[in-house]
Amino acid sequence: MKSCFPNPQDPSSNPLSPNPIITVAAATTFSSLPDDLLLECLSRVPSSSLPSISHVCRRWSLLLHSPSFLYLRRLNHFIHPTIFTLSAPLVASLRLQNGNDANTIGPLWKVASCLPFPLASLDSFSHARLSVIGPRIYIIGRNEMFCYDVWSGIITSRCSMIFPRKKFATAVLSGKIYVAGGGSRAGAALEEYDPDTDTWRVVSNALRRRYGCIGAAVDGVFYVTGGLNIGGALGNEITRAATAGTEAYMYASSMDLFDVEARAWLRSRVVPGGGCVVAACAVAGYVYILASHAVELSFWSFDARRHGGGGGSNGSGFGKWCRIKSPPLPAQVRLDSTVRFSCVGVENKMVLIQVRGCIDDLLRRSGRSVRGLKEGLVLIYDCISGEWSRGPDLPEVIRRGACVTVEC
């Protein structure tokens, strides 16, 4: 019988060998990478390409707005604090130079027309308030709110406040937006907005009902500063008339402090020397306040470091006021309602931006002929050196805008 197996002693026969196994390597794409590797790659993409990347797929869009992406961008020095000034339908951005910038050319404003959403409901950007969470600017109007993503350029409508407000205080703490003041219909309600659920809720009642107030946030405390008294005090007409002046003074030069974690109001503070608060913001653990008096301006810092600041390990300097060098404006100038400043913090600098009015006209009305201080004046205060410098003027096409600082 003939065997089907080869004869090992027959040199003419070829031993059987197994068929070679052919493996085809699967093509590796960005989409097949795990999230951590994909984040490493996306975090190194130039900022100019981020709007395109956010439209690739839902997964990439979610990664771009994750805390890990922001952390990696900051770690790789791709994040730069940038000032945005919104004045529909335009937006202007300004990036201040730092020691790591190789470019020796001074900073310049960049203007773009990228606010394609209905603005009829927003009375004016000068009356709206801006809050920032990550790369998103929340534009809070009287009856509507929008979210502008500076990375993708997308604008979406968000849930409006429970109570309509105008000229109110706002600040961001622990990823949530807090608002207070701004109208009699709102009463004393302090509202909190959760961007994850797109909902507002009332979390407390303010100590004072303010209108035209300014907000700031440091170390878990929401500061509601300045403004006018609305609603009037209780009592008869004679009592109200007698106390109206005192109450207006106390409101304009004071600030209320709300601890968002404890849900409790702390002791209110008053600006030394009084005056009317016209601008305020938080920078590096301090609240900086510009106050207008009868014939001059004063500039103050309030130590708001409660945890491990203020010269001690337990925040022993919390609550200390310090008068610092006033901005380089003409002497004996009193700001009125025709001139308005916006104040924003950029790392260790405080930037004062004139968003409305003309100082030249203000001086002309008082009989003085100083020139060169028109609209759009930008002044920069270095909190470390204690010196002022003049920045690039706001573009003429941007007027009555609202300002905010974004890491992008």
Side-chain angles (χ1 to χ4, degrees), residues 365-394:
R365 287 195 295 271
S366 62
R368 300 159 70 181
S369 58
V370 177
R371 295 292 181 269
L373 296 174
K374 298 182 179 180
E375 299 182 41
L377 179 67
V378 176
L379 300 173
I380 303 172
Y381 177 76
D382 190 316
C383 302
I384 298 178
S385 66
E387 296 297 328
W388 287 90
S389 61
R390 184 161 179 177
D393 291 352
L394 197 65

Side-chain angles (χ1 to χ4, degrees), residues 229 240-253:
N229 176 22
R240 287 200 295 267
T243 60
T246 303
E247 287 183 354
Y249 174 82
M250 292 299 297
Y251 274 62
S253 61

